[in-house]
Amino acid sequence: MALAAASPKTMSQQSAALLRLRELLLKGAFTAGTRLAEIPLAKRLQVSRTPLRLALVALEHEGLVQEHPTRGYVVRQILRKDIFETIEIRGMLEGMAARLAVERADREFLGLGNLRRSVNAIEIALKTIDTDTAGAFNTYIEQNQLFHQHLIALAGSQTLAREIDRITGRPFAAPSSGFISAQVDLPRSRHVLRMGHDQHVAIVEALERREAARVETLMREHARLARLNLEIALDENVRTASVPMLRLIRNGEAA
Amino acid sequence: MALAAASPKTMSQQSAALLRLRELLLKGAFTAGTRLAEIPLAKRLQVSRTPLRLALVALEHEGLVQEHPTRGYVVRQILRKDIFETIEIRGMLEGMAARLAVERADREFLGLGNLRRSVNAIEIALKTIDTDTAGAFNTYIEQNQLFHQHLIALAGSQTLAREIDRITGRPFAAPSSGFISAQVDLPRSRHVLRMGHDQHVAIVEALERREAARVETLMREHARLARLNLEIALDENVRTASVPMLRLIRNGEAA
DNA sequence: ATGTCTCGAATTGTATGCAGTTTGCAATCA
DNA sequence: TGATTGCAAACTGCATACAATTCGAGACAT
């Protein structure tokens, strides 16, 4: 076999399976609860069953699939509740990161420049939001991601960074370009961008002043924008055709 | 203890490998950085390489082992810094759990009885701490674990419970019987028990009064006792013979 | 003596065969 | 008609063989 045509370098089959399967899951290619039969899935991903198995174990720890008691793995269903809680957890962790950044007295915030750059870029983009809505959204998503990355780096905690990474990978836990840009047309979503920007400004200010408790609270609240976004999307019935991942969401209790 | 999730009847080879290897790692059977060669390890764990591999993937996500870029897995080294950060994260998450417990207005805290029972049991045990030190320690460890479990259950968040479980499984992130009981003879450690108990009392009180912010802060601080414990152990040079896991800890930066 | 290159042994990553279960279907019975 | 049981197909979990890499030892050149 070894038809590694698609991979640029020599990527292990396991990584290939992991990446491709994760992408499929996040794209919502399966409905919640679907059994992931190994043989057809292996064929689809162009790997054999062994590396696929390894990928499934990894994805279980990422919370995207679930071990079926008697039979392999199934696509994990995502309850709204789960998403909201995950967002809240992300807020806690990023809040902690912001606090740690302040508490590290050793560095003189050399990294604040990066944060300011992102904030400025968003500020400029937002001025043209009515004429170039898509562009403003794209800039926001891009620079927002950088903002968060830099802030987490400032915390100087490898451990925390890892955890945030894990959480952020969960569906809808953090703004993803595919999801957000589906909402470009909604006025309410535009307003969310402005709110996010204003929060960024406040966060940078709090960091400058070394206001640890404040910046922690601000980051927590900032994370909750993801919740607001999701609620808007569900309210407005964003067509699931453009965001098939939405189909994974269930309202009620666990089924 | 969802970490011990396994079917009692037919334990899969994978679960067996996972449990036994985790135990070995947490016992400090390997020094940090040791390469985990598959063939001898498989022999030692009485499983074949395939399930062992799956267990290693799982353990990587738990943070106990690390993938070597070119060659299998190595035992992850634990920096003091990592431990302290992990403890802090646990405090954040448990604080969130306590807050959620308060915020859930639907239940009338039916579970507070469990918490009170644990608190009372510890209270009684502490009265005999000078005559039956070991017994008091054991009771504390046992009931403390229950206390935390019940509190987390009160939060009613499966997602959060999972994350806390993950974090708690990390070495030294939470009081473990093997570690704590090695400190029975230290007066400072006895004092830590009393502090922990006093905090439990305050936590229950805050829950009763539905003081969300207070209980969150209390839980955070409560987690930091684990840090204090570790520092005492390192200060007093608790013999690594009795807690070989201590050998995994390194002080400096990543090596 | 030090550094580099080559070759061999050992180890990992992958594929696949096999056995034990589970599931779905169908036939039988109430 | 509905439920139950038995059977066959399919699938998972595991072990192992095979191939591709990597590491180390030793020789050779500088």
Side-chain angles (χ1 to χ4, degrees):
Chain A
M1 260 292 195
L3 277 180
S7 55
K9 287 182 185 176
T10 33
M11 179 152 57
S12 79
Q13 297 295 82
Q14 180 190 341
S15 307
L18 182 59
L19 289 176
R20 303 203 50 200
L21 182 52
R22 179 160 44 206
E23 192 189 338
L24 282 179
L25 289 167
L26 291 182
K27 270 202 331 202
F30 310 95
T31 58
T34 307
R35 263 204 24 220
L36 292 171
E38 291 183 1
I39 295 175
L41 195 56
K43 231 173 250 169
R44 184 166 178 182
L45 300 177
Q46 310 258 29
V47 300
S48 84
R49 287 175 50 219
T50 304
L52 171 59
R53 268 300 250 300
L54 296 167
L56 284 169
V57 172
L59 286 171
E60 184 186 14
H61 278 259
E62 294 183 19
L64 292 179
V65 305
Q66 202 167 15
E67 198 177 4
H68 187 80
T70 66
R71 204 163 175 97
Y73 292 88
V74 299
V75 178
R76 190 153 177 229
Q77 71 173 337
I78 306 173
L79 305 176
R80 286 172 81 130
K81 184 172 179 292
D82 294 332
I83 295 174
F84 295 155
E85 287 163 5
T86 304
I87 290 170
E88 188 70 18
I89 291 172
R90 178 167 71 85
M92 300 289 295
L93 297 179
E94 291 194 344
M96 174 175 160
R99 173 166 58 84
L100 287 187
V102 168
E103 289 172 356
R104 292 208 326 173
D106 51 334
R107 277 207 204 164
E108 289 304 312
F109 294 130
L110 300 177
L112 276 197
N114 286 326
L115 295 183
R116 288 203 195 89
R117 255 187 297 284
S118 293
V119 171
N120 288 338
I122 291 175
E123 170 128 17
I124 291 167
L126 284 183
K127 282 179 181 159
T128 68
I129 194 169
D130 291 317
T131 59
D132 179 18
T133 311
F137 267 76
N138 283 333
T139 301
Y140 181 87
I141 290 163
E142 198 180 295
Q143 295 296 328
N144 178 60
Q145 211 154 25
L146 283 174
F147 182 89
H148 284 248
Q149 277 171 21
H150 286 135
L151 181 49
I152 290 162
L154 279 182
S157 166
Q158 187 60 41
T159 308
L160 184 55
R162 265 177 69 110
E163 293 305 317
I164 292 175
D165 229 48
R166 271 178 43 81
I167 289 288
T168 302
R170 301 270 239 283
F172 301 104
S176 76
S177 61
F179 176 47
I180 300 282
S181 48
Q183 304 185 43
V184 165
D185 300 328
L186 306 176
R188 290 171 67 194
S189 292
R190 289 188 211 177
H191 183 56
V192 171
L193 293 204
R194 293 205 182 275
M195 289 175 66
H197 175 61
D198 292 338
Q199 290 174 347
H200 285 166
V201 170
I203 287 163
V204 171
E205 182 189 281
L207 287 170
E208 275 168 354
R209 301 187 187 177
R210 297 185 174 252
E211 294 167 346
R214 179 182 172 209
V215 81
E216 178 170 355
T217 312
L218 284 170
M219 279 301 284
R220 282 205 207 175
E221 190 63 24
H222 186 53
R224 293 186 184 116
L225 282 187
R227 173 176 183 150
L228 185 54
N229 256 320
L230 181 57
E231 282 172 339
I232 291 173
L234 294 173
D235 267 8
E236 310 265 357
N237 273 318
V238 166
R239 57 215 167 284
T240 57
S242 66
V243 189
M245 186 171 38
L246 282 172
R247 282 186 298 148
L248 290 178
I249 303 178
R250 292 288 174 274
N251 288 318
E253 291 298 305
Chain B
M1 289 280 111
L3 276 181
S7 43
K9 276 186 181 180
T10 41
M11 177 146 69
S12 71
Q13 297 293 82
Q14 179 187 341
S15 306
L18 183 58
L19 290 176
R20 303 204 49 201
L21 183 51
R22 180 160 45 208
E23 192 189 336
L24 282 179
L25 288 167
L26 292 182
K27 271 201 331 200
F30 310 95
T31 58
T34 306
R35 237 175 30 92
L36 292 172
E38 290 182 4
I39 296 176
L41 194 56
K43 230 172 253 170
R44 184 166 177 181
L45 299 177
Q46 311 258 28
V47 300
S48 83
R49 287 177 50 217
T50 303
L52 169 58
R53 189 67 83 80
L54 295 168
L56 284 169
V57 173
L59 286 171
E60 184 185 13
H61 277 259
E62 293 183 18
L64 291 179
V65 305
Q66 200 167 16
E67 199 178 4
H68 186 80
T70 66
R71 204 163 174 96
Y73 292 87
V74 298
V75 177
R76 191 153 177 231
Q77 72 173 337
I78 306 172
L79 304 176
R80 286 172 80 132
K81 183 172 181 294
D82 294 331
I83 295 174
F84 294 154
E85 287 162 5
T86 303
I87 290 170
E88 188 71 17
I89 291 172
R90 177 167 71 85
M92 300 290 294
L93 297 178
E94 290 194 344
M96 173 175 161
R99 173 165 58 85
L100 287 186
V102 169
E103 290 172 355
R104 291 206 329 173
D106 52 333
R107 277 207 203 162
E108 289 305 312
F109 294 130
L110 300 176
L112 276 197
N114 286 327
L115 295 183
R116 288 204 195 89
R117 255 187 297 286
S118 293
V119 170
N120 288 338
I122 290 174
E123 170 127 16
I124 291 167
L126 283 183
K127 281 179 182 161
T128 67
I129 193 169
D130 291 318
T131 58
D132 179 17
T133 313
F137 267 77
N138 284 334
T139 300
Y140 181 87
I141 291 163
E142 199 180 293
Q143 295 296 327
N144 179 59
Q145 211 154 24
L146 284 175
F147 182 90
H148 284 249
Q149 277 172 21
H150 286 134
L151 181 48
I152 290 162
L154 280 183
S157 165
Q158 188 60 41
T159 308
L160 184 55
R162 268 176 67 108
E163 293 303 317
I164 292 175
D165 226 49
R166 269 177 42 79
I167 290 288
T168 302
R170 302 269 239 283
F172 301 106
S176 76
S177 61
F179 176 46
I180 300 283
S181 49
Q183 305 183 43
V184 165
D185 298 328
L186 305 176
R188 290 170 68 192
S189 292
R190 288 189 211 176
H191 183 57
V192 171
L193 292 204
R194 294 206 179 273
M195 289 175 66
H197 174 62
D198 293 338
Q199 291 174 347
H200 286 167
V201 170
I203 287 163
V204 171
E205 182 189 281
L207 286 170
E208 276 169 354
R209 303 187 186 176
R210 297 183 175 254
E211 295 166 345
R214 179 183 171 209
V215 81
E216 178 170 355
T217 312
L218 284 170
M219 278 302 283
R220 282 204 206 176
E221 190 62 24
H222 185 52
R224 295 188 184 114
L225 282 187
R227 174 176 183 149
L228 184 53
N229 255 320
L230 181 56
E231 282 172 338
I232 291 172
L234 294 173
D235 267 8
E236 310 264 355
N237 274 317
V238 165
R239 55 216 166 283
T240 57
S242 66
V243 189
M245 185 170 41
L246 283 172
R247 282 187 296 147
L248 290 177
I249 303 178
R250 292 288 174 275
N251 288 317
E253 291 297 307

